Amino acid sequence: MIHKKHTLLIVLALMATTAIQAGKYHNFKVSTYIRAQDVARMEDDKFLKSTWETVSTQVDLDKIYLETHRDAFTVPEKTLTKVKKFFLAKGLEVGGGITFTRSEPTDFETYSYAREDERQQVKRISEFTAKHFDDFILDDFFFIDLKNDDEIAAKGSKSWTEYRLRLMADAGRELVVNPAKAVNPKVRVIIKYPNWYDHFHGLGFNLEEEPTYFDGLWTGTETRDPASAQHLQNYLSYNIVRYFDNIAPGRNYGGWVDAGGIHMSMDRYAEQLHLTMLSKTPEIILWNYMQLAEVKIAPTMRAPWQSEGGNSFRYDEMVAPYIKDGKTITPTTMARFANKTLHQTDLLIGQLGKPIGLASYKPYHSSGEDFLQNYLGMIGLPMDMYPEWLDTRQQILLTQQAAKDPQIVEKIKRQLRKGGDVIITTGLLKAIKDDLAEVVELYCGDLKAIVNDFGRSGKAEREFIIPQVKYFTNDAWEVVSAGRPLTGGVSGYPILLRDTYSKGILFVLTIPDDFGNLYDFPAPALNIIRSVMSKDVGAYIEGPSKVALFPYDNKTMVVENFNDHAVSLRVVVNAKVKTLRNLLTGEQLSPAQVPYSRWRFVGYTENQTVFDLQLPAHSYVGLGY
């Protein structure tokens, strides 16, 4: 194992206790946000003081955001001033917030930006908020979801996407930023974007223009329960921050996590917080203040795997009484989960460099294979999405989103001519098949195959459907294959295909019809895929799916297990190194003795170093080499 169980427990407990006693965080700020209706309730002194007592004794906060408007309701100025004064007296920074909704219960009904009276209302709210705060955040409803008669008339012959992108880009400047700065020239206006980034353009979130005039961004990192409406994968809590970092470098100011998913277990909530901070974002907002005050700790939040011991997030420690400011406190709400998780993560963050990963090009306002990169992150491929093409990487991953770029084939050829690799998905192959024929003649149409057998790369536990990729024999070569069965069977299909062009290699990665079936790929198949795609990362992992790798540019990494059971893993460093160091305990791991292979894409080379480790369920480890 990478650590001795009892040693790690003692070290983490001592370090966490020291950090909690300090009352602050070393590598980031922790904030919360109060909805307008709850700010209004704080006119009542008893409510104001009692909720603060509950929250402040269980979580250390640096800042609080007071919302001025939501659901056509604006907080009375007298109450807003009183509540702001109260929290400033508690030593907190205080900012503002706005939610431009008319009615959340009615499918989150937004304001109509084609109606002049509603536009003026938005302007007045922005001016009112700027009058009281030097910075404020727009909660993630600055889009439009209406198709009323006024909007239909204003749209004209444009598509809804074209109309809404232009409408909201102009509205942000004309109705929010400019009016706010006219009232308060030093105000910083921040737009918070939600977690459903692949669909933004359809409702007017303009990632290309808005970041150029808003003073900063904020990132929704809520992944909640993957079975809920959005079906977002755990990895998004990290990946979306990195994408927005690459859109607005240095101006993506924080992540935002709510209590969604906590019914699954304390671990599901803790993972969202932890993954958000692994992105090295400078601040996190715990949504929201009343959840911190009222979402009670329940025994059902203790997951079965907690009984196995050694987990990174320890329910029993989180609910145990503790001493703060000389008082013994028994935790009562989810605020305690947040506090313990963030202080624990704080111990690790300072040792990590800048996040790196496999570059994936997602042009502005693009769709196709929606949210696929998050599934790939969950099979151990570290993702780093960019809105613009990069010429500086050895490898680049292209999903169907890249078809948005009319020059995509020329860019692929340029990457290959310089000796780099291009990895395309079957979704992109379908979209650009004819143009891509200049590089490689492949076909991927409507034909499907049911597979479960990956031959020498193992067998899946269930059958699933993949698109069939057709190619010319000896022009392209299968690196990983699958059939039903493949071994002793009559047919097989490419899972990872390769072809050469000029000095480079083009790979095609077959994506199952249900992206979740990527998790059914057997470990040996995943290991080859990870190995092939690790050139810009410096290391890769071997093992089952639902284990993620988070690499950094200072030769550190975090490996995190999202499975409900412990897993055995290997970390393969693409260099000769002597040891792998546990960043929290300092323990050194010696290399495993492995044979070298003479076969391309299979086994290890003499220039790699291999380490064995085990991770408990829903746990992580920080490593350096």
Side-chain angles (χ1 to χ4, degrees), residues 63-77:
K63 188 170 183 177
I64 203 155
Y65 294 85
L66 305 180
E67 190 176 71
T68 61
H69 179 89
R70 175 181 293 257
D71 278 14
F73 169 78
T74 300
V75 179
E77 189 166 24

Side-chain angles (χ1 to χ4, degrees), residues 136-365:
F136 66 84
I137 295 176
L138 305 188
D139 193 1
D140 54 21
F141 294 93
F142 192 64
F143 59 84
I144 184 165
D145 56 5
L146 302 176
K147 294 180 180 177
N148 57 41
D149 291 342
D150 294 298
E151 299 293 345
I152 293 170
K155 180 183 83 69
S157 61
K158 299 185 184 74
S159 71
W160 281 108
T161 293
E162 291 169 337
Y163 166 67
R164 288 170 166 177
L165 282 172
R166 181 75 271 134
L167 177 73
M168 296 310 297
D170 292 342
R173 184 184 294 106
E174 297 168 2
L175 305 179
V176 182
V177 175
N178 291 349
K181 290 183 181 292
V183 170
N184 180 358
K186 63 181 180 181
V187 71
R188 188 174 67 161
V189 186
I190 298 167
I191 182 169
K192 184 227 173 179
Y193 290 121
N195 47 20
W196 39 274
Y197 62 89
D198 259 334
H199 302 156
F200 278 179
H201 45 289
L203 286 94
F205 275 130
N206 194 321
L207 287 179
E208 187 171 17
E209 292 188 44
E210 289 169 351
T212 66
Y213 64 81
F214 277 99
D215 296 300
L217 318 181
W218 213 276
T219 306
T221 56
E222 314 96 323
T223 44
R224 307 184 182 109
D225 181 350
S228 63
Q230 293 175 309
H231 309 298
L232 300 176
Q233 304 304 295
N234 308 30
Y235 190 81
L236 178 140
S237 291
Y238 166 90
N239 188 39
I240 189 173
V241 181
R242 292 296 307 132
Y243 180 46
F244 293 164
D245 281 350
N246 293 330
I247 288 174
R251 295 188 301 113
N252 183 18
Y253 294 127
W256 179 301
V257 175
D258 64 22
I262 201 168
H263 65 281
M264 298 177 67
S265 71
M266 170 276 298
D267 305 70
R268 181 76 282 271
Y269 175 59
E271 284 169 347
Q272 295 173 75
L273 302 172
H274 174 72
L275 292 173
T276 300
M277 306 325 292
L278 286 186
S279 71
K280 300 297 293 284
T281 194
E283 187 175 340
I284 186 170
I285 286 178
L286 306 175
W287 172 269
N288 66 58
Y289 185 83
M290 293 310 300
Q291 288 186 347
L292 297 175
E294 295 180 343
V295 176
K296 302 298 184 182
I297 293 172
T300 54
M301 296 174 183
R302 188 183 193 276
W305 53 81
Q306 290 284 331
S307 300
E308 299 174 5
N311 309 90
S312 293
F313 308 111
R314 302 184 186 91
Y315 177 91
D316 293 342
E317 290 183 15
M318 291 188 179
V319 300
Y322 58 97
I323 297 175
K324 185 172 184 179
D325 298 330
K327 298 179 181 179
T328 299
I329 299 169
T330 299
T332 58
T333 76
M334 59 175 272
R336 180 61 172 166
F337 296 157
N339 193 70
K340 289 285 286 186
T341 300
L342 291 168
H343 275 297
Q344 180 176 311
T345 301
D346 195 23
L347 302 174
L348 179 62
I349 295 301
Q351 301 185 63
L352 306 175
K354 179 182 177 181
I356 58 175
L358 172 61
S360 181
Y361 173 43
K362 173 180 164 48
Y364 291 111
H365 319 318

